[in-house]
Amino acid sequence: MRALLVVNPAATTTSARTRDVLIHALASEMKLDAVTTEYRGHARDLGRQAADSADVDLVVALGGDGTVNEVVNGLLHAGPAPERLPGLAVVPGGSTNVFARALGLPNDAVEATGALLDALREGRERTVGLGLTSGTPGTPDEGVPGRWFTFNAGLGFDAGVVGRVEQQRERGKKSTHPLYVRQVVRQLFGEPNRRHGLITLERDGEEPVSDLVVSIASNTSPWTFLGNRPIYASPKASFDTGLDVFGLTRLSAGAVARYGTQLLTSSPERGPHGKHAVSLHDQTRFTLHSKAPLPLQMDGDHLGLRTSVTFTGVRRALRVIV
């Protein structure tokens, strides 16, 4: 087997020495080309090259969810073709690693490498569904290129939090869970539309869902992790179905206390629920429209402001080694 290892040198939870050990362990089992990313988007470019090559059987992403997202978008630049394209393997190196953990991989990079090698020896793999966003025809954002996401995407509040975290990281702060919690609080106090959201969700043949402040599309569950605690915004979301949607129409003090507590105590059987909560399961296609430009995030990366985004759940899009 010939594999390409995409290494993010800025991965939060791995050192240069640890990465060297992992590279040697992988190279002992396969013909390995290891490339260190040098700029934002480099992992996407490397994934694209692997997809267009006839020699690469597997791409291994060593980094956080952002690195994985870039690799996936490179691999699927011409669309999904699980039987033809290289498979994907993940060695978690970020602060949260939602995609890897949702696949059942250990959150420790060394243990995950061992699990990956066992999976390769035993031929274990699965084909998972992914989410795809695109510009909506007839709107100012119709020319925005499509982009894949592996576990979630959000328009509005949660994307604002991601944007705040990225600003702090640019100032030299490490991406930690306490940092995220602080930015959630700041986003709450800075949210001008807490009581009356700007977002409307539209689906063919269904009544629109309006006044959303929070709108999150999930491709799997858990939605995220707070340390070692899984958070289930959409407990039924799965790599084997379409997309699930979790929304809130109010973020008043009472609503924040109620739904924040429900998120922290959520489980695979029960997520947030109540008068101001919206839950949709196994959606193939829907569009989020906003009355004003709002931030968009995908797999924890802030992608700028959008007024309209169309979401598609694509089943059996990518082959992963687990």
Side-chain angles (χ1 to χ4, degrees):
M1 174 178 288
R2 181 170 181 179
L4 170 67
L5 175 64
V6 179
V7 181
N8 180 359
T12 308
T13 57
T14 58
S15 65
R17 179 175 294 179
T18 300
R19 290 191 290 271
D20 285 342
V21 170
L22 300 181
I23 290 171
H24 285 298
L26 293 170
S28 68
E29 298 285 337
M30 63 190 78
K31 186 175 181 181
L32 187 72
D33 293 323
V35 181
T36 299
T37 58
E38 299 176 356
Y39 53 87
R40 187 165 186 168
H42 193 183
R44 180 198 61 225
D45 295 341
L46 293 169
R48 180 172 187 144
Q49 292 170 17
D52 293 340
S53 169
D55 300 326
V56 179
D57 304 301
L58 175 69
V59 178
V60 184
L62 198 172
D65 288 310
T67 303
V68 175
N69 180 278
E70 286 195 13
V71 169
V72 167
N73 274 277
L75 283 172
L76 302 186
H77 75 94
E83 300 80 10
R84 177 182 61 80
L85 292 172
L88 173 72
V90 179
V91 177
S95 59
T96 309
N97 308 304
V98 179
F99 181 64
R101 294 163 83 174
L103 287 170
L105 293 171
N107 198 36
D108 177 79
V110 175
E111 291 185 11
T113 301
L116 166 59
L117 293 174
D118 288 343
L120 288 170
R121 295 185 192 111
E122 298 169 14
R124 297 199 311 266
E125 62 180 44
R126 64 181 292 194
T127 303
V128 300
L130 297 174
L132 176 66
T133 66
S134 58
T136 306
T139 72
D141 292 325
E142 66 178 343
V144 176
R147 179 156 176 158
W148 297 90
F149 62 94
T150 64
F151 61 91
N152 76 43
L155 180 70
F157 181 83
D158 72 310
V161 174
V162 169
R164 287 177 179 271
V165 170
E166 289 194 1
Q167 288 177 352
Q168 294 299 311
R169 293 184 66 183
E170 290 172 358
R171 296 170 184 168
K173 299 289 183 65
K174 284 190 175 182
S175 179
T176 62
H177 292 102
L179 175 64
Y180 270 91
V181 172
R182 289 195 299 272
Q183 302 316 309
V184 167
V185 174
R186 290 174 180 171
Q187 182 70 16
L188 275 171
F189 284 110
E191 176 58 59
N193 304 294
R194 294 171 61 184
R195 294 181 177 274
H196 192 76
L198 302 178
I199 302 167
T200 298
L201 184 150
E202 294 184 353
R203 299 172 288 165
D204 289 342
E206 303 286 347
E207 287 294 318
V209 180
S210 59
D211 301 332
L212 294 170
V213 185
V214 174
S215 55
I216 300 170
S218 292
N219 186 50
T220 187
S221 191
W223 164 50
T224 189
F225 292 83
L226 187 60
N228 290 322
R229 180 195 294 271
I231 305 295
Y232 299 91
S234 297
K236 295 181 181 179
S238 167
F239 287 126
D240 299 319
T241 63
L243 301 175
D244 280 26
V245 181
F246 169 67
L248 291 175
T249 58
R250 181 168 294 187
L251 282 179
S252 62
V256 169
R258 182 182 309 112
Y259 297 116
T261 300
Q262 289 181 1
L263 277 171
L264 291 174
T265 58
S266 59
S267 70
E269 290 75 37
R270 192 167 178 81
H273 53 279
K275 178 180 179 181
H276 302 294
V278 175
S279 296
L280 302 175
H281 175 57
D282 194 10
Q283 302 297 302
T284 299
R285 188 176 178 88
F286 60 90
T287 296
L288 295 177
H289 297 286
S290 174
K291 297 176 184 176
L294 291 175
L296 173 70
Q297 70 83 16
M298 297 176 65
D299 287 347
D301 275 352
H302 188 276
L303 298 178
L305 302 179
R306 301 284 191 273
T307 55
S308 185
V309 185
T310 294
F311 292 77
T312 305
V314 182
R315 290 171 169 79
R316 297 187 57 80
L318 181 70
R319 186 166 50 90
V320 293
I321 309 301
V322 289

